[in-house]
Amino acid sequence: VLKLFKVLHRTRQEVFKNDAKALEAARQKINEEFRNNRDETSEEKINELLKIASDVEVILRTSVIQAVHTDSDKIVLIPRKDLLQDNTPYLDKPTKK
């Protein structure tokens, strides 16, 4: 449980880097969820909560991207290396192997 708690906070720090408002909101939410369930004794419920927390960490790490408003009608995306993937180029006529 403690390991997952730490992993969530590390992921939060990486995903929301340089965004104090989002960092604080995510910190509060993580702490609140763990605090609300700290007295849970049912092994089944604990495993379910750990699975949810693990899924949240994966979603944060793989799906959340930062964006910054530069003008009234422009947004600059700031992708992390985790999100960048090699892209297969588009071909009008696929070649047969």
Side-chain angles (χ1 to χ4, degrees):
V1 173
L2 184 59
K3 182 179 179 181
L4 187 54
F5 180 78
K6 290 179 180 181
V7 167
L8 275 167
H9 277 290
R10 284 189 202 109
T11 301
R12 166 191 70 90
Q13 288 174 335
E14 186 177 326
V15 169
F16 300 116
K17 190 185 317 184
N18 300 324
D19 186 349
K21 199 175 194 180
L23 278 168
E24 181 60 23
R27 184 187 71 78
Q28 288 178 0
K29 186 64 175 174
I30 292 167
N31 291 346
E32 174 187 330
E33 291 298 322
F34 274 81
R35 195 176 305 113
N36 288 344
N37 295 296
R38 73 174 164 208
D39 296 328
E40 186 61 53
T41 56
S42 166
E43 188 173 334
E44 184 178 304
K45 180 70 173 170
I46 290 171
N47 288 334
E48 180 184 331
L49 291 167
L50 289 174
K51 173 74 171 116
I52 291 170
S54 179
D55 291 347
V56 166
E57 192 275 333
V58 169
I59 290 170
L60 280 173
R61 187 171 23 88
T62 60
S63 301
V64 176
I65 187 166
Q66 284 183 304
V68 178
H69 287 277
T70 55
D71 289 330
S72 61
D73 61 343
K74 292 186 181 179
I75 296 175
V76 174
L77 299 178
I78 307 170
R80 294 179 316 283
K81 290 181 182 180
D82 297 2
L83 298 175
L84 299 176
Q85 300 176 356
D86 289 336
N87 197 2
T88 305
Y90 173 77
L91 298 174
D92 283 331
K93 297 179 184 177
T95 58
K96 293 182 180 180
K97 291 184 179 179

